[in-house]
Structures are given as C-alpha cells and as structure tokens.
Amino acid sequence: MQQHGEDAAPLAPTLAGTLTDEGHVCSARIYYADTDFSGFVYHARYLEFFERGRSDCLRLSGIGHIPLAEGAFGEPLVWVVRRMEIDFLAPARIDDIIMISTRTVSISGARIEMKQVITRDGMPLVTACVEAVLVTPAGRPRRLPKDWAGLLMPKAA
Amino acid sequence: MQQHGEDAAPLAPTLAGTLTDEGHVCSARIYYADTDFSGFVYHARYLEFFERGRSDCLRLSGIGHIPLAEGAFGEPLVWVVRRMEIDFLAPARIDDIIMISTRTVSISGARIEMKQVITRDGMPLVTACVEAVLVTPAGRPRRLPKDWAGLLMPKAA
Amino acid sequence: MQQHGEDAAPLAPTLAGTLTDEGHVCSARIYYADTDFSGFVYHARYLEFFERGRSDCLRLSGIGHIPLAEGAFGEPLVWVVRRMEIDFLAPARIDDIIMISTRTVSISGARIEMKQVITRDGMPLVTACVEAVLVTPAGRPRRLPKDWAGLLMPKAA
Amino acid sequence: MQQHGEDAAPLAPTLAGTLTDEGHVCSARIYYADTDFSGFVYHARYLEFFERGRSDCLRLSGIGHIPLAEGAFGEPLVWVVRRMEIDFLAPARIDDIIMISTRTVSISGARIEMKQVITRDGMPLVTACVEAVLVTPAGRPRRLPKDWAGLLMPKAA
C-alpha cells in the first residue's frame, strides 16, 4: 500500500521520526501558527504535536491511518481521543525546535494508553497521558488486534 | 476602556454568553475548521471552545485580556494554562450547536481552577478541569488580586 | 431535518447571523487561539471567520452542510474552496469584535463566487474573493441546483 | 545567536528544508489536525504549510524570526501578510507527504513578494502569491535592509 508523496522521502529521511526501544521520538519546529499573543505557544497546539508523535509512532509500527480508514483491519476505523491529562510545565516559543517522545503504556480492548512528553534541549515542556479508542465511522468502539501489543509496547526491559 | 468592535454589539447580544449563579454559559457552532477526516470534531479544537468560555467568563466579570495585557492590574499580565484533565465522552459534528459552561472551583496565589463542560441538547460531550496561572510576559507568576474570588467564585449556595 | 443543539437556540438568537438584501452578516470575537506572537490575528485564522460567514449564509438560505453531506440533493456533497484573493488591510487584535459580511457574486455550473469583508467598527480589516465548488466525496464537481441562484444572489437592486 | 532546541538538530537534519538556486524547498506530512470532515485538508491549513516554507526560507537565509523580534535589525520587527492569491488545484489527504517550494519574486520598500507551490509526487496541489510586509509591533511598515535582495532573490539565471 504505497503512500502518496513517498517520492519526497529522500528529502525527508526523518519526517516520521524514529522508533526506539522505548517507543517513538520525532522533532518539530514552532511557527507563527503555533503561537499566541502572549508570546508563547498556544496551549491547544501542543495537542497537535502530540498527535504527530502518536500518528508517526503508529505509522512506523505498520498501522497507518489510511489503511485503517480503508478497512485493512476488517472494517473502516478511525482513532478518537477519550481522555487526556496534560501538564504544561514550561512554554515553547517561536522558532524553537522541540522533541516529541511517545511510549505505549497499555493496550486493552478498544483502548490504547500512551505517555508523551515534549522537550526542548532535554527540558520537559509538556507531558501528557492519552487514552485513545479505535472506532467505526459511526462511533462504535472496536477491539484492537491482538498482535498490536507486540508491535507497540516498549521493547526495553 | 472601550473595546474595539463594541458597535457590533447590537448584532451580537449574546456573543459573550451570560453570567449565571454557577458561573458562565455561552454557545458556539461547529464549522468545517473544527472537524477532521474522522467526521467528528478534532479533539484539540474543544480546547478552543473551552478557552472561549473562560475568556468570556473573565470578560463579563470585568477582567478582560486587553486591560490585563496593558497593565491595568499593575504590570502587563497574560494567562497560561498549567494543567488540563479532559474527558471526551461523545463527539460533536459539523453544524452542531454546543453549549460551554464554566465554573470557578478555586482561586489561590497565582492560580485559578475551573471546571468546564461542553454539552449538546443537554448531553455532556466533553468535560475539563483547567488550572491557569497569571504570568508576566517573561513568564513569572503573579498573585491574583484578592477581590477576584468575589468576582469569580459561584454565587449559588 | 432538526439540527443537533437547537435547544440552545434561545441562548443564541444571532449565532448564525442575519440574512440581508445584500447577503449575510454575522459577528465574532477574537480569542487567544486566533492570535500569534506578533500580537495580531494570525493571517490564516481570518479564513476561518470567512468560512463561518459562508457556512451561515448557506445555512440560513436553507443549504446546510449536514443535508448536503447526507445526500439531500441527490448524492453526498461537500464544499471545496478553489480560489481565494485576500487583502489584509489592517490587523484585528485579542478581544476585538469583528463583523463578517458575505455577498454572492455569481453562480455557474458547480461554482459559486462570493465577496466577503471583515470589519471592526465599520473599518475594513480583510477582504476576500472566494470561489468554491460543490464536489462528491471522491472530489468530482457537481452542478449547483438551478434554484440556488434565487436563494443566494442579492435581492438589492 | 543560538536557537533553543539545536540539540535536536542531529535528529532533524532537514527540519528546516533546503535552500536551492530557485529559493527553498521543504516537506511536511498531513495529520488529523490538518483535515476536515470532507476528508480533504482544510483549505486554511495550506496557509500554515506556506508559512513554514517562508519561515524556513528566511531562517536558512540568516533572517530568523527571533533575531527580528529582538531588534537585531535596529528595532523589534515582525512579519504581516498583506495579500494572498491562492489556487487550490487538487486536495491533499491524511498521511500524504507534501513538498513546499518558495521563491522570492521581488523585494521593494517594506514589502516582499513570494511565489509558493505545494506538490505531492510532483503534482501541484496549491499555488500562492504572497505579499508580506515587515512592521513594528505597533504595525508601522519598515524598509527591508538593502542586502536582503542578495540573500533572498533566486540565484538561477
């Protein structure tokens, strides 16, 4: 299942970040669009960076949004976020380069729980616990395939 | 301190919502911009609706962002969100009209804690506990004025 | 076809703005989410305000997004924007109340052209010429129903 | 003037894209946050991708937003967009990898004009002509330094 835009890959070797023993890590830049008039990043925009981390962690683990939505796992499926606990520890600013780390904590039933942290120069800026659920387009939850735990749970001892 | 755009007020009597004994309530519409390809509202966009609720609650209580930022309380001040716990219970969709309710739970030091809920036809869709802090443009927290508790805490017994 | 959230309507009499002989007018507030670190509104956010104007103009004219998407006009249909010319004349700032005016200029084939302006206290801030097209979910353009010209073109002489 | 987050650079060699004889090119991924319920990318989100292209083109040319805002060119300065002409030719979808190309067309007075295009697998999706102006925080235009033409105009014959 080839993805649109793969030709651009040579230009973007790390566009999707990297899988690690712990989970996944990628980086991103802060642009005008991410900031607000306080001079800092608007708090809701961190959730978009967290989404990039989760999406790329899943993609590199072989679970892309397009195959999911097109029924590769039996019927069309999309992710919905069910719960987030977010601590905003320190602000990012325009032009900053941030790192987004994602680690799967548990998988059970239709639900996946991930811990994420955004850092800058190693300093944690925002942490999040995220619960997401796999649902049909009508919103009905669907059990995650059994082998996803093996794909997504950390390999580190 | 007149606000830009007040001439439009006759057209928008409820643009800022309404103060109640419990706190504040306002309504909003879901547009294309709020949705994602799942067909539901993108989870981070609910945080913008919550921000509207808090901003208008503060505004109607006499604490507007512009006076704050211009130093009406001694020095320039802006709000930053420190912590959020969010439960996404049911999704909103394009064209839905939602209601955003905001209630102040506690005020202490530089910190305000609010409980918020987004409903549609009385059904809760998203709930949030939000801690926000008043800071200088350099990011240093500043104690909230003492009389703000009287302005913001619920009047209901 | 009742819309979700109509119970909130008494709280929001003007939530969808007003049809006029010229077209449509509604108002909106600037929040943190709309601004960037320059202190002004982020330029792309004006496009969301324009979308609200077009969406509500269509809705009040009897052409809601939900009926369109659900096939009320023969098959599922959504709007895509094909072209925009935007002049950013003066900036809006946090807490400003803006007015969004929308006027249909022409309807032909699958295409509608609208002129829009955002004002504050009568002063134009941003103007836009917008071409949008009605398409199927697969992206194929579909001719607008003949009677839409009567619904949408200005009544003013 | 070191930038926050430079430690992440080894992980993100192409995060800021690449200067070319023509101008600048970078790539980006489409996430949930960029899409709307039509299934395509929300039209205003393309403007954020264009902003990334312009910002990184300027950054790699030695004109970063932070030095500008901190007065490295005499007084604090920020960019505002004055005019955009945008043609939306074909839609991007979730997970797509897009390329953003930026070319400076002219520099005169306080004004810079750039042509930009977003492609996927070489196919143009969105094109834009953008005029931006350098202003003080109070909104007053400021003449661009004379040597910026040499920095920004295409080297190609």
Side-chain angles (χ1 to χ4, degrees):
Chain A
M1 191 152 337
Q2 201 190 348
Q3 216 138 50
H4 286 295
E6 286 302 324
D7 292 5
L11 241 170
T14 61
L15 199 60
T18 309
L19 289 180
T20 67
D21 280 356
E22 274 293 315
H24 178 265
V25 64
C26 60
S27 43
R29 172 86 67 174
I30 306 300
Y31 295 97
Y32 267 73
D34 301 308
T35 61
D36 68 33
F37 96 111
S38 74
F40 310 126
V41 167
Y42 182 66
H43 69 292
R45 295 288 289 202
Y46 293 111
L47 277 69
E48 301 193 13
F49 291 115
F50 283 130
E51 187 231 315
R52 293 193 208 174
R54 295 194 306 276
S55 289
D56 286 335
C57 176
L58 289 164
R59 177 194 332 282
L60 293 182
S61 303
I63 310 166
H65 294 323
I66 290 268
L68 266 184
E70 288 180 347
F73 295 88
E75 61 187 324
L77 295 169
V78 293
W79 292 100
V80 294
V81 175
R82 273 295 155 82
R83 181 177 164 78
M84 291 191 82
E85 285 186 39
I86 314 160
D87 285 281
F88 305 88
L89 307 172
R93 286 189 170 81
I94 186 87
D95 282 353
D96 281 357
I97 296 175
I98 57 174
M99 287 193 45
I100 306 137
S101 302
T102 300
R103 190 164 58 84
T104 303
V105 172
S106 73
I107 289 182
S108 90
R111 206 183 59 116
I112 188 167
E113 189 185 347
M114 289 171 148
K115 286 206 186 244
Q116 301 190 278
V117 58
I118 291 173
T119 57
R120 188 190 54 218
D121 293 334
M123 181 175 73
L125 304 182
V126 190
T127 63
C129 295
V130 187
E131 289 180 23
V133 174
L134 207 53
V135 302
T136 66
R140 275 190 292 272
R142 285 294 177 260
R143 183 174 292 272
L144 306 187
K146 281 218 175 94
D147 56 340
W148 284 17
L151 291 175
L152 295 170
M153 292 293 288
K155 278 76 193 166
Chain B
M1 190 155 335
Q2 202 192 346
Q3 217 139 49
H4 286 294
E6 286 302 326
D7 292 5
L11 241 171
T14 61
L15 199 60
T18 309
L19 289 180
T20 66
D21 281 356
E22 274 294 315
H24 177 265
V25 64
C26 60
S27 43
R29 172 86 67 176
I30 306 300
Y31 294 98
Y32 267 72
D34 301 308
T35 61
D36 68 34
F37 96 112
S38 74
F40 309 127
V41 166
Y42 182 67
H43 69 292
R45 295 288 290 202
Y46 294 111
L47 278 69
E48 300 193 15
F49 292 115
F50 284 130
E51 187 231 315
R52 293 192 207 174
R54 295 194 305 276
S55 288
D56 286 335
C57 176
L58 290 164
R59 177 194 334 282
L60 293 182
S61 303
I63 309 167
H65 294 325
I66 290 268
L68 266 183
E70 287 180 346
F73 296 87
E75 61 186 324
L77 294 169
V78 293
W79 292 99
V80 294
V81 174
R82 274 295 157 84
R83 182 176 163 77
M84 291 191 82
E85 284 186 39
I86 314 160
D87 285 282
F88 305 87
L89 308 172
R93 284 188 172 81
I94 188 84
D95 282 353
D96 281 356
I97 297 176
I98 56 174
M99 288 194 42
I100 306 138
S101 302
T102 301
R103 189 164 59 84
T104 304
V105 172
S106 73
I107 290 182
S108 90
R111 208 184 56 116
I112 188 167
E113 189 186 346
M114 290 171 147
K115 285 206 186 244
Q116 301 191 277
V117 58
I118 291 173
T119 58
R120 187 192 55 218
D121 292 335
M123 180 175 72
L125 304 182
V126 190
T127 63
C129 296
V130 187
E131 290 180 23
V133 173
L134 208 52
V135 302
T136 65
R140 274 189 293 273
R142 286 293 178 260
R143 182 174 293 273
L144 307 187
K146 281 218 174 95
D147 56 340
W148 285 16
L151 291 175
L152 295 171
M153 292 293 289
K155 277 78 194 166
Chain C
M1 191 153 335
Q2 201 189 350
Q3 216 137 51
H4 285 294
E6 286 303 324
D7 292 5
L11 241 171
T14 61
L15 198 61
T18 309
L19 288 180
T20 68
D21 281 355
E22 274 294 315
H24 178 264
V25 65
C26 60
S27 44
R29 172 85 67 175
I30 306 299
Y31 294 97
Y32 267 72
D34 302 307
T35 61
D36 68 33
F37 96 111
S38 74
F40 310 127
V41 166
Y42 182 66
H43 69 293
R45 294 289 289 201
Y46 293 111
L47 277 69
E48 300 194 13
F49 292 114
F50 283 130
E51 187 231 315
R52 292 192 207 174
R54 296 194 305 276
S55 288
D56 286 336
C57 176
L58 290 163
R59 178 194 332 283
L60 293 182
S61 304
I63 310 166
H65 294 323
I66 290 267
L68 265 184
E70 288 180 348
F73 296 87
E75 61 186 324
L77 294 169
V78 292
W79 292 100
V80 294
V81 174
R82 273 295 155 84
R83 183 176 162 79
M84 291 191 81
E85 285 187 37
I86 314 159
D87 285 282
F88 305 88
L89 308 172
R93 285 189 170 80
I94 186 87
D95 282 353
D96 281 356
I97 297 175
I98 57 174
M99 287 192 46
I100 306 137
S101 303
T102 300
R103 189 164 58 83
T104 303
V105 172
S106 73
I107 289 183
S108 91
R111 206 184 59 115
I112 188 168
E113 189 186 347
M114 290 172 148
K115 285 206 185 244
Q116 301 190 277
V117 58
I118 291 173
T119 58
R120 188 190 54 218
D121 294 333
M123 181 175 74
L125 303 183
V126 190
T127 63
C129 297
V130 187
E131 289 180 22
V133 173
L134 207 52
V135 302
T136 65
R140 274 190 292 272
R142 285 293 177 261
R143 183 174 292 273
L144 307 188
K146 281 220 174 92
D147 56 339
W148 285 16
L151 291 175
L152 295 171
M153 292 293 290
K155 278 77 195 166
Chain D
M1 190 154 336
Q2 203 191 348
Q3 218 139 48
H4 286 295
E6 286 303 325
D7 291 6
L11 242 169
T14 61
L15 198 60
T18 309
L19 289 180
T20 67
D21 281 355
E22 273 294 314
H24 177 265
V25 64
C26 60
S27 44
R29 172 86 67 176
I30 306 299
Y31 294 98
Y32 267 71
D34 301 308
T35 60
D36 68 33
F37 95 112
S38 74
F40 310 127
V41 166
Y42 182 66
H43 69 291
R45 295 288 289 203
Y46 293 111
L47 278 69
E48 301 194 14
F49 292 114
F50 283 130
E51 187 231 316
R52 293 192 206 174
R54 296 194 304 276
S55 288
D56 286 335
C57 176
L58 290 164
R59 177 194 334 282
L60 292 183
S61 303
I63 309 166
H65 294 324
I66 290 268
L68 266 184
E70 288 180 346
F73 295 87
E75 61 186 324
L77 294 169
V78 292
W79 292 100
V80 294
V81 174
R82 274 294 156 84
R83 181 175 164 79
M84 290 191 83
E85 284 187 38
I86 314 160
D87 285 281
F88 305 88
L89 308 172
R93 286 190 169 81
I94 188 84
D95 282 353
D96 281 356
I97 297 176
I98 56 174
M99 287 193 43
I100 306 138
S101 303
T102 301
R103 189 164 57 85
T104 304
V105 172
S106 73
I107 290 182
S108 90
R111 207 184 58 116
I112 188 167
E113 189 185 347
M114 289 171 149
K115 285 207 186 246
Q116 301 190 278
V117 58
I118 291 173
T119 58
R120 188 191 54 217
D121 292 334
M123 181 175 72
L125 304 182
V126 191
T127 64
C129 297
V130 187
E131 290 180 22
V133 174
L134 208 52
V135 302
T136 66
R140 274 189 293 272
R142 286 293 178 260
R143 183 173 292 273
L144 307 188
K146 282 219 174 95
D147 56 341
W148 284 16
L151 290 175
L152 295 171
M153 292 294 288
K155 277 78 194 166

